[in-house]
Amino acid sequence: MQQFLEAQQYHIDKWLANPQIYLLVAALLLASRWLPADPDDRRPGASIAIDYLYGVVYTLLLFPFFVVFFAWVEGALNTWAPWLNLGLAESLPAWVQILLAIFVNDFLAYVSHYCRHRFRFLWYFHSLHHSQEHMNPLTTKRTHPVERIFSRLCIFWLPLAIIGSPPQLWAIYILVDAIWDYFIHSNLRVNLGPLGRVLVSPQYHRIHHSRLPEHADKNFSDRFVIWDLLFGTAYLRQGENPPVGLAGGDTFPSERSLQPWNLFRTYLAQMWYPFRMIHSDMRQRRAIDGMETRD
């Protein structure tokens, strides 16, 4: 319990009660009014509020739980599978370890992201993130806990265990990574010009969130465009700022009200949505199997 409370206080200090975060988000929201990707996006209040609620719940409950859970996993691995910690980079200079951590993390983020679109049951959890119809800096917080567990295992704990770099070095990457996340999820008409062929920009990532069929399964990269280029999933046409959200997402419980109780009820409905869809798929599969058996 002590570890849970310490982790909770840590994330409160770093996010929930950090004035620098609020200044960053406010600056990006103001910039979005000046240079909007979607000029008609005038009433995003409920969407921003529920994204913030995602962040609050993550700070108070999910982050400390994950810290305790992954500490247990790490202890179990050290006891039962110490061979996993290969320590491949421990003898390298710190700056090399940081660069290695960045590129290994970003590549695994691409693989993880691709899997969350490729496999139907993972997509149902990831679809919460794509349900946002009003892109804003806090959309980065709009993530299901199951997806967070999957992504953290793939893009943080696994490379950390294999490479063996000190967690302090990874913390530098996580800080820069978090700031860039706020930036690319903003409603900004920014493509970074020639640099947009190297780094993911708000416009590049908006294509990934597009509901248009020509943009489906494009631009999976988190930070470096190179992974999309290598695996043929890049959509590099600049200047497009399509509508975002789930294509055909009529069954998704979208937020429509700023009233606190309605927001919280919608949040719970969104948490339940992936399980509801998986259950629906299972029922359909059983029905099909039953028809094939009768035939």
Side-chain angles (χ1 to χ4, degrees):
M1 189 62 181
Q2 181 64 28
Q3 190 178 30
F4 181 96
L5 294 175
E6 289 176 355
Q8 184 186 73
Q9 187 59 52
Y10 170 84
H11 211 265
I12 289 174
D13 294 338
K14 293 296 182 182
W15 189 79
L16 193 58
N18 186 349
Q20 294 175 329
I21 295 294
Y22 291 92
L23 287 173
L24 173 63
V25 171
L28 289 170
L29 288 173
L30 287 173
S32 298
R33 298 301 296 267
W34 173 57
L35 199 64
D38 179 6
D40 298 324
D41 191 11
R42 299 296 183 186
R43 306 187 69 179
S47 296
I48 295 175
I50 202 166
D51 287 350
Y52 181 72
L53 178 59
Y54 271 87
V56 171
V57 174
Y58 179 72
T59 295
L60 298 181
L61 296 176
L62 299 178
F63 177 79
F65 168 77
F66 289 154
V67 168
V68 174
F69 173 72
F70 284 122
W72 177 83
V73 170
E74 185 178 19
L77 289 176
N78 288 337
T79 301
W80 301 106
W83 47 268
L84 272 178
N85 190 346
L86 301 180
L88 298 178
E90 288 179 347
S91 61
L92 298 175
W95 67 271
V96 176
Q97 291 189 45
I98 292 174
L99 290 177
L100 186 61
I102 288 172
F103 282 100
V104 169
N105 185 291
D106 203 56
F107 169 69
L108 290 176
Y110 176 90
V111 174
S112 167
H113 198 173
Y114 179 84
C115 289
R116 282 174 272 165
H117 281 256
R118 176 67 178 81
F119 299 105
R120 194 175 181 87
F121 74 99
L122 288 176
W123 163 249
Y124 286 139
F125 293 103
H126 186 52
S127 66
L128 268 70
H129 184 66
H130 278 265
S131 69
Q132 180 57 274
E133 298 175 358
H134 305 275
M135 297 288 283
N136 69 87
L138 294 174
T139 300
T140 183
K141 298 297 181 183
R142 191 186 185 100
T143 308
H144 197 282
V146 173
E147 180 184 0
R148 284 192 181 272
I149 291 175
F150 176 78
S151 62
R152 287 300 175 192
L153 279 172
C154 289
I155 68 176
F156 183 69
W157 290 100
L158 181 61
L160 179 63
I162 293 175
I163 294 175
S165 297
Q168 294 83 354
L169 293 179
W170 286 82
I172 298 173
Y173 169 74
I174 291 171
L175 175 63
V176 177
D177 186 66
I179 294 172
W180 202 259
D181 250 342
Y182 289 117
F183 174 59
I184 66 172
H185 284 94
S186 298
N187 179 37
L188 284 170
R189 192 170 69 252
V190 175
N191 57 37
L192 300 180
L195 194 58
R197 303 276 177 168
V198 179
L199 296 176
V200 172
S201 68
Q203 187 267 338
Y204 185 92
H205 193 63
R206 188 179 184 89
I207 293 294
H208 178 70
H209 277 260
S210 171
R211 66 175 65 174
L212 301 182
E214 60 264 35
H215 299 146
D217 294 333
K218 297 295 183 182
N219 296 5
F220 291 107
S221 292
D222 269 18
R223 301 296 170 261
F224 298 104
V225 175
I226 187 174
W227 313 120
D228 281 314
L229 293 173
L230 287 174
F231 297 105
T233 54
Y235 189 96
L236 295 173
R237 192 177 301 166
Q238 296 186 345
E240 296 186 22
N241 293 286
V244 297
L246 292 175
D250 296 336
T251 62
F252 187 82
S254 298
E255 58 280 359
R256 298 295 181 223
S257 172
L258 269 170
Q259 295 180 353
W261 168 242
N262 286 335
L263 276 175
F264 186 67
R265 186 171 58 183
T266 301
Y267 172 82
L268 293 178
Q270 292 179 0
M271 287 291 102
W272 179 244
Y273 172 79
F275 300 105
R276 178 163 61 88
M277 297 304 295
I278 292 172
H279 181 255
S280 176
D281 280 358
M282 293 173 64
R283 290 182 60 184
Q284 291 180 19
R285 172 52 58 186
R286 284 197 296 266
I288 292 172
D289 290 343
M291 292 175 61
E292 292 176 348
T293 301
R294 286 195 296 271
D295 291 342

CSV table of all heavy atoms in Angstrom, one decimal, residues 105-147:
chain,number,residue,atom,x,y,z
A,105,ASN,N,12.6,2.0,-28.3
A,105,ASN,CA,11.3,2.3,-27.8
A,105,ASN,C,10.3,2.7,-28.9
A,105,ASN,O,9.2,2.2,-29.0
A,105,ASN,CB,11.4,3.4,-26.8
A,105,ASN,CG,10.0,3.7,-26.1
A,105,ASN,OD1,9.1,4.2,-26.7
A,105,ASN,ND2,9.9,3.4,-24.8
A,106,ASP,N,10.8,3.6,-29.9
A,106,ASP,CA,10.0,4.0,-30.9
A,106,ASP,C,9.6,2.9,-31.9
A,106,ASP,O,8.5,2.9,-32.4
A,106,ASP,CB,10.7,5.2,-31.7
A,106,ASP,CG,9.7,6.1,-32.4
A,106,ASP,OD1,8.7,6.6,-31.7
A,106,ASP,OD2,9.8,6.3,-33.6
A,107,PHE,N,10.6,2.0,-32.2
A,107,PHE,CA,10.3,0.9,-33.1
A,107,PHE,C,9.2,0.0,-32.4
A,107,PHE,O,8.3,-0.5,-33.1
A,107,PHE,CB,11.6,0.1,-33.4
A,107,PHE,CG,11.3,-1.2,-34.1
A,107,PHE,CD1,10.8,-1.2,-35.4
A,107,PHE,CD2,11.5,-2.4,-33.4
A,107,PHE,CE1,10.5,-2.4,-36.0
A,107,PHE,CE2,11.2,-3.6,-34.0
A,107,PHE,CZ,10.8,-3.6,-35.3
A,108,LEU,N,9.4,-0.3,-31.1
A,108,LEU,CA,8.5,-1.2,-30.5
A,108,LEU,C,7.1,-0.5,-30.3
A,108,LEU,O,6.1,-1.2,-30.4
A,108,LEU,CB,9.0,-1.6,-29.1
A,108,LEU,CG,10.2,-2.6,-29.2
A,108,LEU,CD1,10.7,-2.9,-27.8
A,108,LEU,CD2,9.8,-3.9,-29.8
A,109,ALA,N,7.1,0.8,-30.2
A,109,ALA,CA,5.8,1.5,-30.2
A,109,ALA,C,5.1,1.4,-31.5
A,109,ALA,O,3.9,1.2,-31.5
A,109,ALA,CB,6.1,3.0,-29.9
A,110,TYR,N,5.9,1.4,-32.6
A,110,TYR,CA,5.2,1.2,-33.9
A,110,TYR,C,4.6,-0.2,-34.0
A,110,TYR,O,3.5,-0.4,-34.4
A,110,TYR,CB,6.3,1.3,-35.0
A,110,TYR,CG,5.7,1.0,-36.4
A,110,TYR,CD1,5.2,2.0,-37.2
A,110,TYR,CD2,5.8,-0.3,-36.9
A,110,TYR,CE1,4.6,1.7,-38.5
A,110,TYR,CE2,5.3,-0.6,-38.2
A,110,TYR,CZ,4.7,0.4,-38.9
A,110,TYR,OH,4.2,0.1,-40.2
A,111,VAL,N,5.4,-1.2,-33.6
A,111,VAL,CA,4.9,-2.6,-33.6
A,111,VAL,C,3.7,-2.8,-32.8
A,111,VAL,O,2.7,-3.4,-33.2
A,111,VAL,CB,6.0,-3.6,-33.2
A,111,VAL,CG1,5.5,-5.0,-33.1
A,111,VAL,CG2,7.2,-3.5,-34.1
A,112,SER,N,3.7,-2.2,-31.6
A,112,SER,CA,2.6,-2.3,-30.6
A,112,SER,C,1.4,-1.6,-31.2
A,112,SER,O,0.3,-2.1,-31.2
A,112,SER,CB,3.0,-1.7,-29.3
A,112,SER,OG,1.9,-1.4,-28.5
A,113,HIS,N,1.6,-0.4,-31.8
A,113,HIS,CA,0.5,0.3,-32.4
A,113,HIS,C,-0.1,-0.4,-33.6
A,113,HIS,O,-1.4,-0.5,-33.7
A,113,HIS,CB,1.0,1.7,-32.9
A,113,HIS,CG,0.0,2.7,-33.1
A,113,HIS,ND1,0.2,4.0,-33.4
A,113,HIS,CD2,-1.4,2.6,-33.1
A,113,HIS,CE1,-0.9,4.7,-33.5
A,113,HIS,NE2,-1.9,3.9,-33.3
A,114,TYR,N,0.7,-1.0,-34.4
A,114,TYR,CA,0.2,-1.8,-35.5
A,114,TYR,C,-0.6,-3.0,-35.0
A,114,TYR,O,-1.7,-3.2,-35.6
A,114,TYR,CB,1.4,-2.3,-36.4
A,114,TYR,CG,1.0,-3.2,-37.5
A,114,TYR,CD1,0.6,-2.6,-38.8
A,114,TYR,CD2,0.9,-4.6,-37.5
A,114,TYR,CE1,0.2,-3.4,-39.8
A,114,TYR,CE2,0.5,-5.3,-38.5
A,114,TYR,CZ,0.1,-4.7,-39.7
A,114,TYR,OH,-0.3,-5.5,-40.8
A,115,CYS,N,-0.2,-3.7,-34.0
A,115,CYS,CA,-0.9,-4.8,-33.5
A,115,CYS,C,-2.3,-4.4,-32.9
A,115,CYS,O,-3.3,-5.1,-33.1
A,115,CYS,CB,-0.1,-5.5,-32.3
A,115,CYS,SG,1.3,-6.4,-32.9
A,116,ARG,N,-2.3,-3.2,-32.3
A,116,ARG,CA,-3.6,-2.7,-31.8
A,116,ARG,C,-4.6,-2.3,-32.9
A,116,ARG,O,-5.8,-2.2,-32.6
A,116,ARG,CB,-3.4,-1.5,-30.9
A,116,ARG,CG,-2.8,-1.8,-29.5
A,116,ARG,CD,-2.4,-0.6,-28.7
A,116,ARG,NE,-1.1,-0.2,-29.0
A,116,ARG,CZ,-0.6,1.0,-28.6
A,116,ARG,NH1,-1.3,1.9,-28.1
A,116,ARG,NH2,0.7,1.2,-28.9
A,117,HIS,N,-4.2,-2.2,-34.1
A,117,HIS,CA,-5.1,-2.0,-35.2
A,117,HIS,C,-5.3,-3.4,-36.0
A,117,HIS,O,-6.4,-3.6,-36.5
A,117,HIS,CB,-4.5,-1.0,-36.2
A,117,HIS,CG,-4.7,0.4,-35.8
A,117,HIS,ND1,-5.6,1.2,-36.4
A,117,HIS,CD2,-4.0,1.1,-34.9
A,117,HIS,CE1,-5.5,2.4,-35.8
A,117,HIS,NE2,-4.6,2.4,-34.9
A,118,ARG,N,-4.3,-4.2,-36.0
A,118,ARG,CA,-4.4,-5.5,-36.7
A,118,ARG,C,-5.3,-6.5,-36.1
A,118,ARG,O,-6.0,-7.2,-36.7
A,118,ARG,CB,-3.0,-6.0,-36.9
A,118,ARG,CG,-2.9,-7.4,-37.6
A,118,ARG,CD,-3.3,-7.2,-39.1
A,118,ARG,NE,-3.2,-8.5,-39.7
A,118,ARG,CZ,-4.1,-9.5,-39.7
A,118,ARG,NH1,-5.2,-9.3,-38.9
A,118,ARG,NH2,-3.9,-10.6,-40.3
A,119,PHE,N,-5.2,-6.6,-34.7
A,119,PHE,CA,-6.0,-7.7,-34.0
A,119,PHE,C,-7.2,-7.1,-33.4
A,119,PHE,O,-7.2,-6.1,-32.7
A,119,PHE,CB,-5.1,-8.3,-32.9
A,119,PHE,CG,-3.9,-9.0,-33.5
A,119,PHE,CD1,-2.6,-8.4,-33.4
A,119,PHE,CD2,-4.0,-10.2,-34.2
A,119,PHE,CE1,-1.5,-9.0,-33.9
A,119,PHE,CE2,-2.8,-10.8,-34.7
A,119,PHE,CZ,-1.6,-10.2,-34.6
A,120,ARG,N,-8.4,-7.7,-33.8
A,120,ARG,CA,-9.7,-7.1,-33.5
A,120,ARG,C,-9.9,-6.8,-32.0
A,120,ARG,O,-10.4,-5.8,-31.6
A,120,ARG,CB,-10.8,-8.0,-34.0
A,120,ARG,CG,-12.1,-7.4,-34.1
A,120,ARG,CD,-13.1,-8.4,-34.8
A,120,ARG,NE,-14.5,-7.9,-34.9
A,120,ARG,CZ,-14.9,-7.1,-35.9
A,120,ARG,NH1,-14.0,-6.9,-36.9
A,120,ARG,NH2,-16.1,-6.7,-35.9
A,121,PHE,N,-9.5,-7.8,-31.1
A,121,PHE,CA,-9.8,-7.6,-29.7
A,121,PHE,C,-8.9,-6.4,-29.1
A,121,PHE,O,-9.4,-5.7,-28.2
A,121,PHE,CB,-9.6,-8.9,-28.9
A,121,PHE,CG,-8.1,-9.3,-28.7
A,121,PHE,CD1,-7.5,-9.0,-27.5
A,121,PHE,CD2,-7.4,-9.9,-29.7
A,121,PHE,CE1,-6.2,-9.4,-27.3
A,121,PHE,CE2,-6.1,-10.3,-29.5
A,121,PHE,CZ,-5.5,-10.0,-28.3
A,122,LEU,N,-7.7,-6.3,-29.7
A,122,LEU,CA,-6.9,-5.1,-29.2
A,122,LEU,C,-7.4,-3.8,-29.8
A,122,LEU,O,-7.4,-2.8,-29.1
A,122,LEU,CB,-5.4,-5.3,-29.7
A,122,LEU,CG,-4.6,-6.4,-28.9
A,122,LEU,CD1,-3.2,-6.5,-29.6
A,122,LEU,CD2,-4.5,-6.1,-27.5
A,123,TRP,N,-8.0,-3.9,-31.0
A,123,TRP,CA,-8.5,-2.7,-31.6
A,123,TRP,C,-9.7,-2.1,-30.8
A,123,TRP,O,-9.9,-0.9,-30.6
A,123,TRP,CB,-9.0,-2.9,-33.0
A,123,TRP,CG,-10.0,-1.9,-33.5
A,123,TRP,CD1,-11.3,-2.0,-33.8
A,123,TRP,CD2,-9.6,-0.5,-33.8
A,123,TRP,NE1,-11.8,-0.8,-34.2
A,123,TRP,CE2,-10.8,0.1,-34.2
A,123,TRP,CE3,-8.5,0.2,-33.7
A,123,TRP,CZ2,-10.9,1.5,-34.5
A,123,TRP,CZ3,-8.5,1.6,-34.0
A,123,TRP,CH2,-9.7,2.2,-34.4
A,124,TYR,N,-10.5,-3.0,-30.2
A,124,TYR,CA,-11.6,-2.5,-29.4
A,124,TYR,C,-11.2,-1.6,-28.2
A,124,TYR,O,-11.8,-0.6,-27.9
A,124,TYR,CB,-12.5,-3.7,-28.9
A,124,TYR,CG,-13.3,-4.4,-29.9
A,124,TYR,CD1,-13.4,-5.8,-30.0
A,124,TYR,CD2,-14.0,-3.6,-30.9
A,124,TYR,CE1,-14.2,-6.4,-31.0
A,124,TYR,CE2,-14.8,-4.2,-31.9
A,124,TYR,CZ,-14.8,-5.6,-31.9
A,124,TYR,OH,-15.6,-6.2,-32.9
A,125,PHE,N,-10.1,-2.0,-27.6
A,125,PHE,CA,-9.5,-1.2,-26.5
A,125,PHE,C,-8.9,0.1,-27.1
A,125,PHE,O,-9.1,1.2,-26.5
A,125,PHE,CB,-8.5,-2.0,-25.7
A,125,PHE,CG,-9.1,-3.1,-25.0
A,125,PHE,CD1,-8.9,-4.4,-25.4
A,125,PHE,CD2,-9.8,-2.9,-23.8
A,125,PHE,CE1,-9.5,-5.5,-24.7
A,125,PHE,CE2,-10.3,-4.0,-23.1
A,125,PHE,CZ,-10.2,-5.3,-23.6
A,126,HIS,N,-8.2,0.0,-28.2
A,126,HIS,CA,-7.5,1.1,-28.8
A,126,HIS,C,-8.5,2.1,-29.4
A,126,HIS,O,-8.3,3.3,-29.6
A,126,HIS,CB,-6.5,0.7,-29.9
A,126,HIS,CG,-5.7,1.8,-30.4
A,126,HIS,ND1,-5.0,2.7,-29.7
A,126,HIS,CD2,-5.5,2.1,-31.8
A,126,HIS,CE1,-4.3,3.5,-30.5
A,126,HIS,NE2,-4.6,3.2,-31.7
A,127,SER,N,-9.7,1.6,-29.8
A,127,SER,CA,-10.7,2.4,-30.4
A,127,SER,C,-11.2,3.6,-29.5
A,127,SER,O,-11.7,4.6,-30.0
A,127,SER,CB,-11.9,1.6,-30.9
A,127,SER,OG,-12.6,1.1,-29.8
A,128,LEU,N,-11.0,3.4,-28.2
A,128,LEU,CA,-11.4,4.5,-27.3
A,128,LEU,C,-10.5,5.8,-27.7
A,128,LEU,O,-11.1,6.9,-27.7
A,128,LEU,CB,-11.1,4.2,-25.9
A,128,LEU,CG,-12.3,3.5,-25.1
A,128,LEU,CD1,-12.6,2.1,-25.6
A,128,LEU,CD2,-12.0,3.5,-23.6
A,129,HIS,N,-9.3,5.6,-27.9
A,129,HIS,CA,-8.4,6.7,-28.3
A,129,HIS,C,-8.8,7.3,-29.6
A,129,HIS,O,-8.8,8.5,-29.7
A,129,HIS,CB,-6.9,6.2,-28.4
A,129,HIS,CG,-5.9,7.2,-28.6
A,129,HIS,ND1,-5.7,8.3,-27.7
A,129,HIS,CD2,-5.2,7.5,-29.7
A,129,HIS,CE1,-4.8,9.1,-28.2
A,129,HIS,NE2,-4.4,8.6,-29.4
A,130,HIS,N,-9.2,6.5,-30.5
A,130,HIS,CA,-9.6,7.0,-31.9
A,130,HIS,C,-11.1,7.5,-31.9
A,130,HIS,O,-11.5,8.1,-32.9
A,130,HIS,CB,-9.5,5.9,-32.9
A,130,HIS,CG,-8.1,5.7,-33.4
A,130,HIS,ND1,-7.7,6.2,-34.6
A,130,HIS,CD2,-7.1,4.9,-32.9
A,130,HIS,CE1,-6.4,5.9,-34.8
A,130,HIS,NE2,-6.0,5.1,-33.8
A,131,SER,N,-11.8,7.4,-30.8
A,131,SER,CA,-13.2,7.9,-30.7
A,131,SER,C,-13.2,9.4,-30.6
A,131,SER,O,-14.3,10.0,-30.8
A,131,SER,CB,-13.9,7.2,-29.6
A,131,SER,OG,-13.4,7.7,-28.3
A,132,GLN,N,-12.1,10.0,-30.3
A,132,GLN,CA,-12.1,11.5,-30.1
A,132,GLN,C,-12.4,12.2,-31.4
A,132,GLN,O,-11.7,12.1,-32.4
A,132,GLN,CB,-10.7,12.0,-29.5
A,132,GLN,CG,-10.6,13.5,-29.3
A,132,GLN,CD,-11.7,14.0,-28.4
A,132,GLN,OE1,-12.8,14.3,-28.8
A,132,GLN,NE2,-11.4,14.1,-27.1
A,133,GLU,N,-13.5,13.0,-31.4
A,133,GLU,CA,-13.8,13.8,-32.6
A,133,GLU,C,-13.3,15.2,-32.6
A,133,GLU,O,-13.5,16.0,-33.5
A,133,GLU,CB,-15.4,13.8,-32.8
A,133,GLU,CG,-15.9,12.4,-33.0
A,133,GLU,CD,-17.4,12.4,-33.0
A,133,GLU,OE1,-18.1,13.4,-32.8
A,133,GLU,OE2,-18.0,11.3,-33.2
A,134,HIS,N,-12.7,15.6,-31.4
A,134,HIS,CA,-12.2,16.9,-31.3
A,134,HIS,C,-10.7,16.8,-30.7
A,134,HIS,O,-10.5,16.8,-29.5
A,134,HIS,CB,-13.0,17.8,-30.3
A,134,HIS,CG,-14.5,17.8,-30.7
A,134,HIS,ND1,-15.0,18.7,-31.6
A,134,HIS,CD2,-15.5,17.1,-30.3
A,134,HIS,CE1,-16.3,18.6,-31.7
A,134,HIS,NE2,-16.6,17.6,-31.0
A,135,MET,N,-9.8,16.7,-31.6
A,135,MET,CA,-8.4,16.5,-31.2
A,135,MET,C,-7.9,17.6,-30.3
A,135,MET,O,-8.2,18.8,-30.6
A,135,MET,CB,-7.5,16.4,-32.4
A,135,MET,CG,-7.8,15.2,-33.3
A,135,MET,SD,-7.3,13.6,-32.6
A,135,MET,CE,-5.5,13.7,-32.8
A,136,ASN,N,-7.3,17.3,-29.2
A,136,ASN,CA,-6.8,18.3,-28.3
A,136,ASN,C,-5.6,17.7,-27.6
A,136,ASN,O,-5.4,16.5,-27.6
A,136,ASN,CB,-7.9,18.7,-27.4
A,136,ASN,CG,-8.3,17.7,-26.4
A,136,ASN,OD1,-7.7,17.5,-25.3
A,136,ASN,ND2,-9.3,16.9,-26.7
A,137,PRO,N,-4.8,18.5,-26.9
A,137,PRO,CA,-3.6,18.0,-26.2
A,137,PRO,C,-3.8,16.8,-25.2
A,137,PRO,O,-3.0,15.9,-25.1
A,137,PRO,CB,-3.0,19.2,-25.5
A,137,PRO,CG,-3.5,20.4,-26.2
A,137,PRO,CD,-4.9,20.0,-26.7
A,138,LEU,N,-5.0,16.9,-24.6
A,138,LEU,CA,-5.3,15.9,-23.6
A,138,LEU,C,-5.8,14.5,-24.2
A,138,LEU,O,-6.0,13.6,-23.4
A,138,LEU,CB,-6.3,16.4,-22.6
A,138,LEU,CG,-5.8,17.6,-21.7
A,138,LEU,CD1,-6.9,18.1,-20.8
A,138,LEU,CD2,-4.7,17.1,-20.8
A,139,THR,N,-6.0,14.5,-25.5
A,139,THR,CA,-6.4,13.2,-26.1
A,139,THR,C,-5.4,12.1,-25.9
A,139,THR,O,-5.7,11.0,-25.9
A,139,THR,CB,-6.6,13.5,-27.6
A,139,THR,OG1,-7.6,14.5,-27.8
A,139,THR,CG2,-7.1,12.2,-28.3
A,140,THR,N,-4.1,12.5,-25.7
A,140,THR,CA,-3.1,11.5,-25.4
A,140,THR,C,-3.4,10.7,-24.1
A,140,THR,O,-3.0,9.6,-23.9
A,140,THR,CB,-1.7,12.2,-25.2
A,140,THR,OG1,-0.7,11.2,-25.0
A,140,THR,CG2,-1.7,13.2,-24.0
A,141,LYS,N,-4.3,11.3,-23.2
A,141,LYS,CA,-4.7,10.6,-22.0
A,141,LYS,C,-5.8,9.6,-22.2
A,141,LYS,O,-6.1,8.8,-21.3
A,141,LYS,CB,-5.0,11.6,-20.9
A,141,LYS,CG,-3.9,12.5,-20.5
A,141,LYS,CD,-2.8,11.8,-19.9
A,141,LYS,CE,-1.7,12.7,-19.4
A,141,LYS,NZ,-0.5,11.9,-18.8
A,142,ARG,N,-6.5,9.7,-23.3
A,142,ARG,CA,-7.7,9.0,-23.6
A,142,ARG,C,-7.3,7.5,-24.0
A,142,ARG,O,-7.3,7.2,-25.2
A,142,ARG,CB,-8.4,9.7,-24.8
A,142,ARG,CG,-9.9,9.2,-25.0
A,142,ARG,CD,-10.4,9.9,-26.2
A,142,ARG,NE,-11.8,9.6,-26.5
A,142,ARG,CZ,-12.8,10.4,-26.2
A,142,ARG,NH1,-12.6,11.5,-25.6
A,142,ARG,NH2,-14.0,10.0,-26.5
A,143,THR,N,-7.0,6.7,-23.1
A,143,THR,CA,-6.5,5.4,-23.3
A,143,THR,C,-7.1,4.4,-22.3
A,143,THR,O,-7.2,4.7,-21.1
A,143,THR,CB,-5.0,5.3,-23.2
A,143,THR,OG1,-4.4,6.3,-24.0
A,143,THR,CG2,-4.4,4.0,-23.6
A,144,HIS,N,-7.5,3.2,-22.8
A,144,HIS,CA,-8.1,2.2,-21.9
A,144,HIS,C,-6.9,1.5,-21.1
A,144,HIS,O,-5.8,1.4,-21.6
A,144,HIS,CB,-8.8,1.1,-22.7
A,144,HIS,CG,-9.7,0.3,-21.9
A,144,HIS,ND1,-9.3,-0.8,-21.1
A,144,HIS,CD2,-11.1,0.3,-21.8
A,144,HIS,CE1,-10.3,-1.3,-20.5
A,144,HIS,NE2,-11.4,-0.7,-20.9
A,145,PRO,N,-7.2,1.2,-19.8
A,145,PRO,CA,-6.2,0.6,-19.0
A,145,PRO,C,-5.6,-0.7,-19.6
A,145,PRO,O,-4.4,-1.0,-19.4
A,145,PRO,CB,-6.9,0.3,-17.6
A,145,PRO,CG,-8.0,1.2,-17.6
A,145,PRO,CD,-8.4,1.5,-19.0
A,146,VAL,N,-6.4,-1.5,-20.2
A,146,VAL,CA,-5.9,-2.7,-20.8
A,146,VAL,C,-4.9,-2.4,-21.9
A,146,VAL,O,-3.8,-3.1,-22.0
A,146,VAL,CB,-7.1,-3.6,-21.4
A,146,VAL,CG1,-6.5,-4.8,-22.2
A,146,VAL,CG2,-8.0,-4.0,-20.3
A,147,GLU,N,-5.2,-1.4,-22.7
A,147,GLU,CA,-4.2,-1.0,-23.7
A,147,GLU,C,-2.9,-0.4,-23.1
A,147,GLU,O,-1.8,-0.7,-23.6
A,147,GLU,CB,-4.8,0.1,-24.6
A,147,GLU,CG,-3.9,0.6,-25.7
A,147,GLU,CD,-4.5,1.8,-26.5
A,147,GLU,OE1,-5.6,2.2,-26.3
A,147,GLU,OE2,-3.7,2.2,-27.4
